[in-house]
């Protein structure tokens, strides 16, 4: 039986598969989690990426396992220190920012707020962003190969080659890899603007 008789069958099936992954997998708070969690809380709470004391208090409430690094950062902020906990710096007007760009937390802030309103773990917002990037990769591969089975195989290979290791992480490795590959696929299949935008999205967090 052909599961891909119509053009919309492939994106629907891929979306359902990724939704199943999202529903059954807990977020894995790994990578630069102290940075990205606080930046996401900040953007979701007050719409700006500068880290405030109330963001740290919220972080300690949501992630008690990270209480120690949160408190080290908080102490430095209260003391007005220039040298803060690793990966945090003071910017203009003495505001505190993460050393990594806040694009990934900004993408996660919407799902974060929605999931929190629904009574779910808000940090699954990182998973939502990562899996959305995998979905876009699937669309790009389908355009490139003009074959839904080949595109689905390509997504499977992506997962086997590292995607599955990082798709639940609270860091942008999965987003960057999927967006870069999708950008290349769009570019060589005649959609250079989409390709450039996705390459830029990939490079904003992991330029290497």
């Amino acid at each position: 039986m052909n599961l891909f008789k119509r053009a919309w069958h492939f994106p629907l099936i891929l979306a359902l598969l990724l939704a199943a992954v999202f529903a059954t997998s807990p977020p894995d708070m790994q990578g630069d989690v102290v940075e990205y969690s606080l930046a996401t809380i900040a953007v979701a709470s007050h719409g700006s990426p500068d880290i405030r004391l109330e963001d740290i208090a919220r972080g300690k409430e949501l992630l008690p396992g990270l209480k120690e690094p949160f408190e080290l950062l908080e102490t430095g902020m209260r003391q007005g220190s220039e040298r803060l906990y690793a990966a945090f710096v003071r910017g203009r007007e003495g505001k505190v920012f993460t050393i990594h760009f806040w694009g990934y937390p900004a993408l996660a802030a919407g799902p974060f707020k929605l999931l929190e309103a629904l009574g779910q773990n808000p940090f699954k917002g990182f998973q939502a962003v990562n899996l959305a990037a995998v979905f876009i990769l699937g669309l790009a591969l389908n355009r490139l190969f003009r074959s839904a089975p080949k595109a689905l195989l390509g997504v499977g290979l992506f997962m086997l080659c590292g995607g599955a290791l990082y798709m639940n992480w609270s860091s942008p490795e999965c987003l960057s890899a999927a967006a870069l590959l999708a950008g290349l696929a769009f570019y060589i299949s005649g959609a250079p603007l989409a390709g450039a935008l996705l390459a830029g999205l990939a490079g904003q967090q992991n330029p290497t």
Side-chain angles (χ1 to χ4, degrees):
M1 180 180 177
N2 186 2
L3 295 176
F4 308 109
K5 289 183 178 180
R6 299 185 181 277
W8 54 269
H9 285 177
F10 171 73
L12 176 62
I13 290 173
L14 181 59
L16 290 174
L17 289 172
L18 294 175
V21 172
F22 177 80
T24 58
S25 304
D28 192 1
M29 306 306 287
Q30 299 284 350
D32 298 311
V33 59
V34 177
E35 279 187 82
Y36 289 124
S37 61
L38 286 181
T40 301
I41 291 171
V43 175
S45 299
H46 46 80
S48 60
D50 60 296
I51 309 302
R52 304 175 185 179
L53 293 175
E54 57 265 32
D55 301 325
I56 298 176
R58 184 70 173 134
K60 288 192 287 187
E61 177 186 341
L62 292 172
L63 296 170
L66 296 177
K67 181 179 179 181
E68 182 177 353
F70 287 155
E71 287 185 342
L72 289 173
L73 175 61
E74 180 181 16
T75 298
M77 289 174 62
R78 289 188 182 278
Q79 292 176 348
S81 302
E82 286 297 321
R83 294 179 63 86
L84 298 168
Y85 178 73
F88 293 88
V89 295
R90 287 197 181 274
R92 293 178 180 176
E93 302 175 354
K95 293 182 178 180
V96 175
F97 299 90
T98 63
I99 62 171
H100 285 103
F101 185 56
W102 46 267
Y104 183 62
L107 292 173
F112 180 97
K113 295 185 71 171
L114 176 61
L115 289 162
E116 188 173 38
L118 295 174
Q120 303 298 311
N121 183 344
F123 289 113
K124 284 182 72 67
F126 293 122
Q127 290 175 288
V129 172
N130 296 340
L131 294 175
V134 176
F135 179 75
I136 293 172
L137 172 61
L139 298 183
L141 293 176
N142 192 38
R143 175 188 172 92
L144 175 65
F145 296 133
R146 300 186 185 281
S147 166
K150 288 181 180 179
L152 196 59
L153 176 61
V155 172
L157 289 173
F158 172 81
M159 287 299 193
L160 291 174
C161 294
L165 295 176
Y166 294 102
M167 65 183 181
N168 296 319
W169 274 37
S170 55
S171 284
E173 286 80 1
C174 182
L175 167 71
S176 293
L180 179 57
L181 290 173
L184 291 170
F186 274 122
Y187 183 83
I188 62 177
S189 63
L193 179 58
L197 289 173
L198 286 167
L201 176 64
Q204 68 170 340
Q205 300 294 157
N206 291 300
T208 54

